Every structure is written in C-alpha cells, then in structure tokens.
Amino acid sequence: SSHLQSYGQRAQNFTNPAAKLLLETMERKKSNLAVSVDVTKTKDFLSIIDTVGPFVCLIKTHIDILEDFDPSLITQLKELSQKHNFLIFEDRKFADIGNTVALQYSRGVHRIADWAHITNAHAVPGPGIITGLSSVGLPLGRGLLLLAEMSTKGSLATGAYTDATLRMAENNRDFVVGFVAQQRMGGHHEDFLVLTPGVGLDSKGDGMGQQYRTPREVILDSACDVIIVGRGIYGGDTAESVRAQAQRYQDAGWSSYLERISL
Ligand code: 6AU
C-alpha cells in the first residue's frame, strides 16, 4: 500500500525537461547514483566517466578543476552522455548577483549552459540569482538545484536559511527542480528532487570537514532521491575497482529506494 510515487511516475510532476529526463533515466537504468568526477586530468576524467557510465543516472563535474581543459573535452563528454544515457550536472555553486551569474553560466571558457543539463547555486544572494540563471537556462531546458544544506561539519546552511531556500525554490518551480541537501525537508512532497552528497560506505570523513553517510541512510532514512558519490568510487586505482565500486553503490542506492517505495 505504497503512497510514494516511483521515480518514473514523478516525471509527470515536473514541467522542466531536465528534471523529467533525469527521473525517466533513473527509472530506465534502475540507478539513483550520481558520480562526482573530481579529477584534474582530462584523460582520467573521460576514462572514469566511460567506466562508471553504465551504472549512473548522472555525472557531476567540477569543470574548473581540469588543468588541461579544452573545448573538445565537452564534445567527448556529450558523446559519453549519449553512449551511456546519463545527464550532466556541473557543480558550479553560483553565488553572485544575477547579472554576474548569467555571464558565468553562459560565457567564459566553459560555457556551462551549453552542455550541463543541471547546475546548482547558493541561495545567499536572494531570488535575483535565480532570475539571472533562468534567463540563460530556462530557454535551453536546463534545471537548477539550490543548496539548502551542506554535508560539511559546521555548515551555516541550517534552520531559517534552509527554510528561506525552500521558499525561493517554491516561487520558481519552472527552473528550480530541487535541492542539494541532506534530507527531504518540510513534509516535502515528491515534486522536488533531493540530491545528496557526503555518501560513502567505507569512510566517515576526509579530515577537511566532509562527513559521509551510507546510501541506505540517505535514500531510506532521509528520503533523498539521488546519492552523489565521488572519492568512494574513483579513489581506487584500477578501472576494475572503479567499475566494482560503481556497481556496489548503484545496488546499495537502488535497493534502499525499492525498500522506501514499498513502505
Ligand atoms: O564524495 P566526495 O566527498 O569525494 O565528493 C563530494 C562531492 C564534491 C563536493 O563539491 C560536492 O559533492 N558537495 C556538494 C555539492 C554536490 O554541491 C555539496 C555539499 O554539501 N557537499 C559536497 O560534498 O564534488
């Protein structure tokens, strides 16, 4: 007697094409795993993505940490996204006035809006940051996540700040498709996506503030939608270990989801 909708059913709760496509992809690939590929060399970046591609719904990038960035990398990233059927999330964490973030999103060397289905922003500047980003991203069918909480020890994004971030999202539902957060919040319905970093099966932290919880804690106990895993997956040195870890996290995330919707 489940009252929770499946990922596939939830696609119809959204008008935003990026959110719909993500949920449809999750259902089709049976994956609520996003891999965060935080490496500095193009060769490693592309090889990790090709290895984990079959297991993920989403690849998360920090495009500005690549030392040998070249626009041809974007062509290759898009090809991998088609080969393996995943979406791309550039974790840019915009945090400036609307006019500036519109430029950072569309221009510069990275031209993020051209290739990233989803990006994210801090709520700290207020709603103008959404106006600026949506002026670029909405016509392209892109989606935005707001950082409502952070995974790190001592995060200031709590309480009234988190609540105000939720209100900002509710007032901009065409473009804001959800949150980067640690839990589904405020009796929050199934019509925002909650993507959650700080996920690891073998480690509790990194000595620089990061805190890890298990896929089960995140998906089942905290009712989040997507686990974001970085070093837990690509930390191993061989392609075989990267593949095995991706499979392991995909299985852990998906079985927790099946348990959640059967409650
Ligand atoms: O699994 P890790 O610790 O290797 O990587 C976690 C990834 C990093 C962070 O920049 C990002 O997730 N992140 C975010 C995001 C996604 O916005 C927010 C947050 O609160 N904590 C966090 O780790 O690429």
Side-chain angles (χ1 to χ4, degrees):
S1 65
S2 170
H3 63 287
L4 290 177
Q5 291 183 300
S6 70
Y7 290 132
Q9 289 168 330
R10 287 171 56 196
Q12 63 204 347
N13 300 341
F14 291 83
T15 55
N16 182 280
K20 276 185 188 296
L21 184 60
L22 180 60
L23 286 162
E24 288 161 3
T25 303
M26 292 166 75
E27 184 80 46
R28 192 168 60 246
K29 291 184 78 176
K30 300 196 187 317
S31 175
N32 52 15
L33 170 65
V35 173
S36 177
V37 191
D38 302 344
V39 297
T40 57
K41 299 276 191 283
T42 294
K43 189 169 164 286
D44 299 335
F45 179 78
L46 293 172
S47 105
I48 292 167
I49 293 173
D50 201 21
T51 302
V52 303
F55 308 102
V56 303
C57 56
L58 185 68
I59 288 288
K60 188 177 82 61
T61 59
H62 279 301
I63 204 71
D64 60 356
I65 68 178
L66 286 160
E67 295 171 341
D68 50 0
F69 175 82
D70 176 281
S72 68
L73 164 67
I74 297 303
T75 311
Q76 292 173 275
L77 176 60
K78 283 182 176 167
E79 281 167 11
L80 288 172
S81 131
Q82 277 169 10
K83 173 180 173 189
H84 295 297
N85 271 298
F86 58 75
L87 281 77
I88 306 167
F89 166 19
E90 164 58 23
D91 184 4
R92 176 62 181 75
K93 295 190 180 70
F94 293 103
D96 213 323
I97 65 167
N99 183 64
T100 300
V101 296
L103 292 168
Q104 291 171 323
Y105 188 25
S106 59
R107 310 295 182 90
V109 291
H110 296 126
R111 307 187 75 94
I112 293 163
D114 286 353
W115 49 271
H117 301 87
I118 293 171
T119 190
N120 55 355
H122 285 292
V124 68
I129 193 168
I130 302 175
T131 314
L133 292 170
S134 69
S135 74
V136 171
L138 199 55
L140 296 170
R142 305 313 190 195
L144 182 70
L145 303 169
L146 293 179
L147 281 119
E149 294 178 314
M150 291 197 73
S151 58
T152 37
K153 211 169 287 173
S155 165
L156 303 180
T158 61
Y161 180 91
T162 300
D163 291 343
T165 304
L166 259 67
R167 301 290 92 75
M168 271 174 63
E170 284 166 351
N171 293 331
N172 295 276
R173 303 198 66 124
D174 48 354
F175 189 52
V176 181
V177 298
F179 305 97
V180 173
Q182 295 297 304
Q183 61 192 306
R184 186 172 298 282
M185 293 157 300
H188 244 262
H189 11 287
E190 298 281 298
D191 45 8
F192 277 118
L193 299 170
V194 181
L195 282 68
T196 305
V199 178
L201 284 162
D202 305 315
S203 167
K204 288 283 141 218
D206 69 354
M208 289 194 274
Q210 179 66 294
Q211 306 176 107
Y212 293 115
R213 293 183 299 157
T214 65
R216 189 182 160 88
E217 289 173 296
V218 167
I219 298 291
L220 185 65
D221 303 344
S222 299
C224 303
D225 296 315
V226 174
I227 52 170
I228 299 174
V229 187
R231 286 164 287 180
I233 284 177
Y234 68 79
D237 34 13
T238 65
E240 204 29 65
S241 73
V242 175
R243 172 186 304 278
Q245 290 300 331
Q247 173 100 68
R248 178 180 178 222
Y249 279 93
Q250 180 194 1
D251 290 346
W254 196 258
S255 61
S256 302
Y257 159 72
L258 291 178
E259 203 173 329
R260 177 174 149 222
I261 59 168
S262 71
L263 286 179

